[in-house]
């Protein structure tokens, strides 16, 4: 079971993109004061936070399954979601982000 979860984690880590450099995006659009830009930057920031949390959780769980760190209650929830990915939506694991 753990090997299956580790394999799934590896696949997910390959698919989850790196978080955005929000400061750089903000700097590029500094002269644009439109409401659309404001909303866009807010959404990019939120999405970047989600990507960071997903990647960190997956890496921490991977380390925990290998015995390199303690698996917390939150990581156990991620493990359960990964183990039952076909019947349990992963977004429930990251709903607090």
């Amino acid at each position: 079971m753990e090997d299956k979860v580790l394999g799934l984690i590896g696949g997910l880590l390959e698919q989850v993109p790196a978080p955005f450099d929000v400061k750089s995006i903000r700097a590029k659009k500094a002269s644009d004061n439109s409401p659309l830009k404001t909303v866009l930057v807010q959404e990019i920031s939120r999405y970047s936070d989600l990507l960071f949390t997903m990647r960190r959780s997956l890496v921490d769980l991977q380390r925990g399954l290998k015995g390199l760190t303690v698996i917390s209650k939150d990581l156990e929830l991620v493990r359960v979601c990964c183990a039952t990915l076909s019947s349990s939506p992963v977004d429930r694991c990251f709903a607090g982000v």
Side-chain angles (χ1 to χ4, degrees):
M1 173 74 102
E2 287 182 7
D3 291 336
K4 179 182 174 184
V5 173
L6 283 170
L8 182 61
I9 290 171
L12 289 172
L13 284 172
E14 289 176 7
Q15 294 177 14
V16 175
F20 294 102
D21 183 2
V22 179
K23 289 181 183 179
S24 172
I25 294 169
R26 230 181 235 130
K28 287 180 184 177
K29 299 293 184 181
S31 62
D32 183 4
N33 293 324
S34 71
L36 180 60
K37 177 246 171 182
T38 302
V39 171
L40 179 63
V41 170
Q42 288 173 348
E43 291 303 315
I44 288 172
S45 179
R46 289 181 182 125
Y47 186 59
S48 187
D49 290 346
L50 176 64
L51 292 174
F52 176 79
T53 301
M54 288 175 64
R55 183 169 287 280
R56 185 188 66 218
S57 296
L58 291 170
V59 168
D60 288 349
L61 180 58
Q62 190 176 47
R63 290 176 46 86
L65 291 174
K66 291 179 180 179
L68 302 173
T69 188
V70 177
I71 295 179
S72 68
K73 186 177 179 180
D74 291 339
L75 286 179
E76 179 61 20
L77 177 60
V78 175
R79 187 197 64 78
V80 169
C81 287
C82 287
T84 59
L85 186 60
S86 61
S87 63
S88 176
V90 175
D91 61 347
R92 189 176 79 195
C93 298
F94 303 104
V97 176

